[in-house]
Each structure stands twice: as structure tokens, then as C-alpha cells.
Amino acid sequence: MPKAELPPDEEARLRALESYGILDTPQEPEYDAITELASSICETPISVVNFIADGRQWFKSEVGLGVRETPLDPSICAHAILQSELFVVQDTTKDARFADNPLVVGDPQLRFYAGALLRSREGHPLGTLCVLDTRPRELTDSQLSALQVLAEHVRNMLELRRSNEELREIADSLGVALAARQRLVATVAHDLRTPLNVITLAARMLQDPETSPQVARVVAGRLGRASSSMTRLVEDLLDLEAHAGGGLSIEPRPMALAPLLRDVVELMTPLADQASVNLVLEVSRDGEVAGDYARLHQVVTNLVGNALKFTPTGGEVRVRMEVEGSVVSVCVTDTGVGIALEDREAIFDPFVRVRSMNTRGAGLGLAIARRVLEAHRGSIGVESEVGAGSSFCFTLPTLSS
């Protein structure tokens, strides 16, 4: 029994068939009506809407067979999809391709076959609408014409199915985009809250008539830095919008990290004092890196701001820097609520709300932090225990490396 050759574009053909999402779906009255009508018009006991899949032929609808799937090797339809349009075999016993076919010499003892091709919109042959009989015969011109008209109707139903699926995918994408926009609004409020709080406290101190000129100058400096931090966050939002899957631009220059850490701790001390949280800085040895000062300042500010937010009254937030070989590590450790294991990776994704933190989360800030550090050839991770606190650590290569 000669097997049908595979179409020359078999991989593309199978992809096209898969795109319709038709395989292994339940029976549908619309397709059953087609096979029943084809069987009636062509006066055959068997009619099938057939798709040639990988290693099998599968029937969306059938009359007279009683099965939904058969192996591909004995398939007459596998030969039919190699033809241009209609494929007719008036007597299978007289055709060398099918004379010893198991479906011819055994049950159901097929003797006649006529199949009209079902093509994808790209022109790939997907299967056939075929009629079969257990005796040799001929179809009239009107019967052959009707078979082609019915096949065209099946093709239209397939295209409608694929169009509906594409519309559902578009609707799902729009839903995801809308949800992302909604999360964006929520995370903007979170990521701007830290500098806004600094500005609010600074404004109150400047309005206090008992504030000395020396203190006022210090507060004014904090106010300016908080304002710059807000500006940077807004710019980052625009960066994420313009480069949805890309990185952030950085301007690395040789710099020491210790002064940056001291500046962040000084900036955040008023917030720590207000929350009655002890904010501590530990620098065993300064480390020089090739870094973008403003970007790294933003990273540390975000980590410290998050730590303060999730640490209860009387707790502690510790900022520690160490240099080991060619790597500088900075850890921000708190005694706060902690993060559940299943949420620890998700917190670095944009716009993610972390349920275990019982808040809107640090989605945007940590997502930006990861991208900033990766742009510096660094990395960031977290260790945490629910109820005991968290430790966010990032590493950067030293300038010498």
C-alpha cells in the first residue's frame, strides 16, 4: 500500500491547521448538517469533514463511520490534499494506490471516494469534505458542484472560527493592557509617596518659625533632593512606557558608593524618625564602581523607603555595604512584615501587587531597580521570612573589575 507523500510545506501547513483551533473539538450541529447534506445530495452512506493532522486524520463531523479519528497511513484523504481541488476515485480496487488499502480490502470495504479540498486563507491544504461509498460509482456534475459548494461553506465556517479566535485574543490583550494601566495608576501613587512625604515634612519644618536658618538650609537641601527623586521617577515611568520590554539608559562614571548611601540615609531619616524606626548605616569599607549616581540613588532610596513602610514602630532598618574581591554588595534589611515565598520573584515584575504584603506593593520601584542594576552589570535579590523581615541585597562589580 503506497503511502501519501507529505506536502512540501508540511510544517507550515500543520501550523496553519493548528491556528484554527479545530482539532479535537466537540461535534457541532453546523458541521453535522454539512456532512448529512453532502451524504444526501451525493447519495452516499458515508460523509466526512476531515482534517489531516500530524500522524492522524481527525473528523470534525462524520456520517456512517462511527469514529472520530483514524491513523494517517491508510487515509485516502492524505492523497486528496495533494491535489488541486477535487479528488475522485470511482473504483478503489482498480487504483494501484488503494487496491490493497486496509480500508478497501477490509472493513468498511470502501470502493468510491470524492473529496473537495479545504484550504486555509494562506492556501495550505487542511483536509477535505469527502463522500465515500462501498460500491464503485460516479457522481453527476451537479453532485460534484454541490460538494464543492458545501466545502466552500466549511471553509467559511473555519475562517469565521479563526477570526472569532483572533478577536478573542485581541480582547484578551486589551484586557491585559487595561489591567496594566490600572496597576500603573496604583503604582504611581506608591512610588511617588516616599519623596512626597519628604517634601511634606520639609515644608512643615520650613513653616515652623522656630526652625533655625542652619536647619532650614539642611531641610531645603532635602527638599531639593526629594523633588529630584520625584522627577526621576516620572522619567522612569516614561521610560517604561516607551520601552515596554527594554532597559533604562544610564551614564556610568567612577564613583564611591559610601557617600551615596550616607546621602540616602540622611534624606530618609525624617521619615524613619516619624515612624519611630531606627535607621542605621554600616559601611565597613568604601567601594568604587562605574555607576550612574542618580540611578543608583533612586534604587537605594526605593529600597529604604519600602523597608521603612513595612517596618512597624520600634523596628529597625539597616543599610550595610561590604566589598568582597571584585564585588560590592549593599543590603537593606528590615524587621518588618516579610514576604511570602511565592511572592518573592513576582515583586520584581512591573505593576505587580503582592498579596502577602497586604498592600499595593513595590512593583514599579523594584522593577526599575532590577533594570537599573542589570544595566550596571549587577543583580538584586531578596531573602525574607514572613513576620521576621526582609533583606534586599544588590551587587555591583567594582571599578577595578
Side-chain angles (χ1 to χ4, degrees):
M1 177 189 69
K3 296 180 182 179
E5 297 180 0
L6 293 176
D9 56 350
E10 179 64 357
E11 289 187 6
R13 188 192 73 81
L14 290 174
R15 286 195 300 271
L17 176 57
E18 188 68 27
S19 72
Y20 287 90
I22 191 74
L23 293 176
D24 303 312
T25 56
Q27 288 182 263
E28 298 178 45
E30 296 83 0
Y31 289 91
D32 290 341
I34 294 291
T35 51
E36 290 172 5
L37 190 57
S39 180
S40 175
I41 291 174
C42 297
E43 301 176 336
T44 59
I46 302 171
S47 177
V48 175
V49 173
N50 175 294
F51 295 101
I52 303 300
D54 187 10
R56 61 179 177 138
Q57 59 177 355
W58 181 80
F59 310 132
K60 175 61 179 175
S61 177
E62 57 82 23
V63 170
L65 275 184
V67 296
R68 298 290 304 279
E69 180 179 316
T70 62
L72 189 59
D73 286 351
S75 170
I76 300 177
C77 291
H79 292 265
I81 67 168
L82 300 175
Q83 312 304 313
S84 57
E85 286 299 333
L86 274 174
F87 181 58
V88 179
V89 181
Q90 295 179 352
D91 188 346
T92 56
T93 63
K94 295 180 181 180
D95 191 312
R97 293 170 294 182
F98 309 115
D100 60 348
N101 188 299
L103 301 177
V104 174
V105 298
D107 288 337
Q109 296 188 337
L110 298 176
R111 294 294 182 269
F112 170 80
Y113 176 94
L117 202 59
L118 303 176
R119 289 188 182 274
S120 71
R121 68 177 69 156
E122 300 86 3
H124 297 294
L126 306 176
T128 65
L129 168 63
C130 60
V131 292
L132 305 98
D133 206 336
T134 55
R135 62 183 178 86
R137 57 173 301 167
E138 293 183 28
L139 295 183
T140 65
D141 289 344
S142 60
Q143 287 174 323
L144 289 173
S145 178
L147 187 63
Q148 289 181 298
V149 169
L150 291 174
E152 181 64 26
H153 188 57
V154 173
R155 284 193 288 267
N156 290 337
M157 288 195 296
L158 287 173
E159 292 305 328
L160 180 61
R161 182 188 192 92
R162 186 156 78 167
S163 295
N164 287 340
E165 184 61 31
E166 290 171 350
L167 288 174
R168 277 194 294 270
E169 290 177 358
I170 292 172
D172 290 343
S173 298
L174 290 174
V176 170
L178 178 59
R181 293 290 181 183
Q182 291 171 338
R183 290 194 297 270
L184 175 60
V185 172
T187 52
V188 165
H190 166 268
D191 287 296
L192 293 179
R193 188 174 292 119
T194 296
L196 280 173
N197 286 342
V198 171
I199 291 172
T200 300
L201 289 174
R204 289 175 182 171
M205 293 182 70
L206 290 175
Q207 289 173 341
D208 188 345
E210 296 183 2
T211 300
S212 68
Q214 294 83 359
V215 172
R217 282 193 294 271
V218 173
V219 171
R222 290 174 180 170
L223 189 63
R225 291 195 297 274
S227 177
S228 297
S229 180
M230 282 182 60
T231 301
R232 174 64 73 178
L233 283 171
V234 172
E235 290 174 350
D236 286 337
L237 284 169
L238 296 175
D239 281 344
L240 286 175
E241 180 69 16
H243 308 287
L248 301 170
S249 60
I250 64 169
E251 298 178 4
R253 292 184 176 87
M255 56 169 284
L257 272 180
L260 181 150
L261 299 180
R262 293 190 187 98
D263 186 64
V264 171
V265 169
E266 180 186 352
L267 177 68
M268 305 299 285
T269 294
L271 293 179
D273 293 342
Q274 186 185 49
S276 298
V277 173
N278 189 31
L279 180 57
V280 180
L281 174 63
E282 289 183 0
V283 178
S284 60
R285 180 161 63 95
D286 200 356
E288 286 199 339
V289 299
D292 184 317
Y293 186 93
R295 292 291 191 184
L296 294 178
H297 194 283
Q298 176 193 351
V299 169
V300 180
T301 300
N302 183 268
L303 294 179
V304 175
N306 286 338
L308 291 173
K309 180 176 181 178
F310 297 113
T311 300
T313 298
E316 181 179 272
V317 173
R318 187 172 295 270
V319 182
R320 185 180 73 257
M321 185 181 75
E322 295 179 349
V323 181
E324 296 183 5
S326 60
V327 175
V328 178
S329 65
V330 175
C331 292
V332 178
T333 304
D334 63 61
T335 57
V337 297
I339 306 167
L341 179 62
E342 62 270 20
D343 292 328
R344 289 177 199 168
E345 185 60 27
I347 59 176
F348 292 102
D349 294 332
F351 316 121
V352 169
R353 294 182 180 182
V354 177
R355 289 173 295 179
S356 66
M357 298 169 75
N358 193 30
T359 180
R360 289 175 172 171
L364 189 59
L366 290 176
I368 294 173
R370 170 176 275 182
R371 295 183 186 185
V372 167
L373 292 167
E374 288 176 348
H376 283 81
R377 296 186 298 125
S379 62
I380 186 171
V382 60
E383 294 183 359
S384 185
E385 182 180 345
V386 175
S390 304
S391 183
F392 285 84
C393 295
F394 67 84
T395 60
L396 294 170
T398 60
L399 188 60
S400 59
S401 65

